[in-house]
Amino acid sequence: TRSPFVAAALLFSLKLLLLLAIGPVFSPDTPSYADFADAMLASHHWLSDADLATQVLPVTTFRILGYPAVIAAAKLLAGPVWPYAVIGLQFTISTGVFFAVFRLGGNLGLAPKWAVAGALAYATSFQLSLDQSRMSDSLNASAIILAVTIFLRGRRRRRADPAMADRRYQPAAGRG
């Protein structure tokens, strides 16, 4: 069926229109992510020195490495339009998760139109605003939703396989 691809194309178009209309959304956290990315690009000093002697709360002590590393890569690859590159990455990943949610709906026995509706509910809820924002929440939410869909698909497969049903609750050492 083409309906999930049509829905994903329309969703991606909506996201692009929003990006063109309002641009990347900044939050109070945005400067600290960008500052950490700048520190990464400036030198390797941040790897071994938290800079506690010069600042009360250096950004390297309360920010996790991941999202600043994404920003640093975007700055290297996209130059001054790096915020759009980061948002584009977030759009792409959450659109991929849209397909994972759609497939989960199908695996749970939903008709394709209801699986598309469920995936659209995910993609047009809070995730839509997170995708526009330069903060780690979009990638974190996408990772969590993707993990849940993977676990639920695996659980569904194990329940459907009678050979797995007998071994489901045995400790690993007891499995032969």
Side-chain angles (χ1 to χ4, degrees):
T1 179
R2 294 183 313 195
S3 59
F5 296 103
V6 171
L10 291 171
L11 175 66
F12 206 83
S13 298
L14 171 65
K15 290 179 179 188
L16 287 176
L17 285 172
L18 287 171
L19 184 60
L20 290 173
I22 61 176
V25 175
F26 292 82
S27 74
D29 290 348
T30 300
S32 63
Y33 290 120
D35 291 347
F36 195 169
D38 289 339
M40 288 177 180
L41 295 173
S43 75
H44 66 286
H45 171 76
W46 63 274
L47 284 169
S48 60
D49 183 3
D51 212 15
L52 293 172
T54 61
Q55 299 178 34
V56 176
L57 280 174
V59 70
T60 56
T61 61
F62 67 91
R63 284 281 168 236
I64 297 173
L65 176 69
Y67 199 66
V70 168
I71 292 174
K75 285 183 172 202
L76 284 174
L77 297 173
V81 295
W82 68 267
Y84 289 91
V86 170
I87 300 301
L89 174 68
Q90 291 174 179
F91 284 1
T92 303
I93 291 172
S94 67
T95 301
V97 175
F98 166 87
F99 284 108
V101 172
F102 168 76
R103 286 189 65 202
L104 176 63
N107 288 337
L108 293 175
L110 295 178
K113 67 180 178 183
W114 290 112
V116 167
L120 281 172
Y122 146 74
T124 58
S125 64
F126 194 50
Q127 186 68 38
L128 184 63
S129 64
L130 292 177
D131 285 349
Q132 296 289 133
S133 301
R134 283 191 346 186
M135 41 193 264
S136 62
D137 297 11
S138 171
L139 296 179
N140 288 335
S142 290
I144 290 167
I145 298 298
L146 182 60
V148 169
T149 61
I150 290 169
F151 292 142
L152 289 174
R153 287 187 70 220
R155 186 168 189 264
R156 170 108 171 127
R157 283 187 183 154
R158 287 184 70 153
R159 294 176 86 197
D161 183 358
M164 293 299 289
D166 294 337
R167 299 174 13 168
R168 187 176 0 197
Y169 297 110
Q170 293 179 4
R175 293 181 183 169

